[in-house]
Amino acid sequence: IAYKAEMDEVRRKADEKIIAEKKASDMAVLKDKISAEKEREKERDTANVAREKERIAYKAEMDEVRRKADEKIIAEKKASDMAVLKDKISAEKNSEMERDKANITREKERIAYKAEM
């Protein structure tokens, strides 16, 4: 009976040792998994930050392209407006000159008619 009890104690201690080693092994595996997951998260975060920086740079570049295109359109519109304005001024001057010529001609005719009378 004493021998059986001693053997049971030896087996129990051996089982406890095996269980402890298994727990230690499981903990090491779990630590490795956690470490690997943290590393993957870190890599994902780094990649996300890089993508976000690229997106911001691309957006800034596109904003600059749009701004330059808008400036060009505005400059062309101003040039077009100036050309239209010049044409209107020129047409108004020509119209004034035609009125002045017509007035001078009428005045000459009036003076000539007076002279005849």
Side-chain angles (χ1 to χ4, degrees):
I1 293 174
Y3 177 77
K4 185 178 182 300
E6 193 177 321
M7 285 294 115
D8 286 347
E9 183 65 20
V10 168
R11 275 192 226 90
R12 187 184 59 74
K13 285 184 178 180
D15 289 347
E16 285 176 358
K17 185 177 176 184
I18 290 169
I19 290 170
E21 288 171 355
K22 176 74 172 133
K23 282 184 181 177
S25 172
D26 289 351
M27 288 302 288
V29 168
L30 189 56
K31 276 186 177 179
D32 288 347
K33 284 183 179 179
I34 290 170
S35 178
E37 182 59 30
K38 283 183 179 178
E39 187 62 31
R40 283 192 295 276
E41 283 180 20
K42 193 173 170 184
E43 288 171 2
R44 273 195 304 270
D45 290 348
T46 301
N48 287 341
V49 167
R51 276 194 298 277
E52 184 64 13
K53 284 180 180 178
E54 288 174 7
R55 187 190 68 78
I56 290 169
Y58 177 77
K59 185 180 181 301
E61 190 178 325
M62 288 299 104
D63 287 348
E64 182 66 14
V65 167
R66 280 194 276 296
R67 185 188 63 74
K68 285 183 179 179
D70 289 348
E71 286 177 356
K72 184 178 177 184
I73 290 169
I74 290 168
E76 290 171 353
K77 177 74 172 124
K78 282 182 181 176
S80 172
D81 290 351
M82 289 302 291
V84 167
L85 190 57
K86 275 185 175 179
D87 289 347
K88 284 183 180 178
I89 291 170
S90 179
E92 183 61 31
K93 283 183 180 177
N94 287 340
S95 178
E96 284 178 18
M97 285 175 47
E98 292 299 320
R99 278 196 302 273
D100 289 349
K101 284 182 187 176
N103 286 341
I104 290 170
T105 302
R106 276 196 301 280
E107 187 62 23
K108 283 181 181 177
E109 289 174 352
R110 190 182 64 75
I111 291 170
Y113 179 75
K114 258 188 172 179
E116 281 180 23
M117 294 299 171

